[in-house]
Amino acid sequence: MKIMIINGPNINMIGVREKGIYGTKSFEEICSYIRSEGEKRGHDITLLQSNCEGKIIDFLQDSYFEKYDGVVINPGAYTHYSYAIHDAIKGNTGIPTVEVHLSNVHAREDFRKESKTAAACIGQIAGFGEKGYILAIEALEDYKEKNI
Ligand code: DQA
């Protein structure tokens, strides 16, 4: 499958920011882990990151025009207030998208418990660190197999 992995604002600072929550692995290490696990499963993996909402929306639109089979997105804090990213995921006319969070957002501050973007996705995975991206890829495989 052709899979686009999108990371949102501040995810590039993983390994530096709030290590007690996000751990000490660098963003680059996490990206190479995702790439190698994804390729091991036979997928074509594109890794993208932006701190800008509009750029993330451009990536999501590209996933449609460039005929991706699935998207995995960690929208960072945009999760909690971006209706524009919600609409962009919905507007992808049928490209299954899985939301991932490194931390368990449901066990943190109240504002993190709400996701404006998850309802546009086929599901959400939170709390399993970088393994969450691989679980999301597996969810896309299952989704494609069932052809829902
Ligand atoms: C995050 C959770 C968000 O609430 C936060 O703003 C992030 C990271 C996560 O991966 O756990 O930047 O998306």
Side-chain angles (χ1 to χ4, degrees), residues 1-145:
M1 291 170 76
K2 191 173 166 186
I3 299 176
M4 180 182 281
I5 315 277
I6 304 173
N7 279 295
N10 300 309
I11 308 299
N12 57 317
M13 296 302 282
I14 295 300
V16 177
R17 70 186 276 222
E18 299 183 276
K19 292 181 188 150
I21 293 171
Y22 299 116
T24 52
K25 265 192 205 148
S26 69
F27 180 60
E28 290 69 27
E29 285 174 303
I30 289 177
C31 285
S32 36
Y33 165 73
I34 298 168
R35 180 177 299 290
S36 85
E37 290 296 318
E39 288 178 354
K40 229 189 264 175
R41 288 165 171 78
H43 302 300
D44 174 357
I45 303 289
T46 302
L47 285 147
L48 301 164
Q49 190 275 332
S50 179
N51 294 322
C52 304
E53 189 177 25
K55 193 76 200 161
I56 293 168
I57 291 164
D58 289 343
F59 293 156
L60 287 163
Q61 292 180 1
D62 290 347
S63 74
Y64 171 71
F65 291 114
E66 295 169 15
K67 298 185 170 37
Y68 277 79
D69 299 301
V71 173
V72 175
I73 185 166
N74 181 346
Y78 284 136
T79 303
H80 314 300
Y81 63 95
S82 179
Y83 295 108
I85 291 178
H86 171 106
D87 282 353
I89 295 169
K90 273 224 150 158
N92 274 348
T93 58
I95 300 180
T97 299
V98 180
E99 179 168 309
V100 169
H101 297 287
L102 293 155
S103 65
N104 181 1
V105 282
H106 303 286
R108 298 180 63 195
E109 302 97 316
D110 281 347
F111 78 87
R112 291 186 207 277
K113 292 178 185 159
E114 195 180 347
S115 172
K116 300 293 185 202
T117 45
C121 296
I122 60 168
Q124 185 200 55
I125 294 164
F128 300 105
E130 64 269 24
K131 179 77 193 282
Y133 293 92
I134 314 309
L135 297 173
I137 290 171
E138 288 177 359
L140 289 172
E141 290 166 1
D142 287 355
Y143 189 86
K144 195 184 177 192
E145 203 165 298

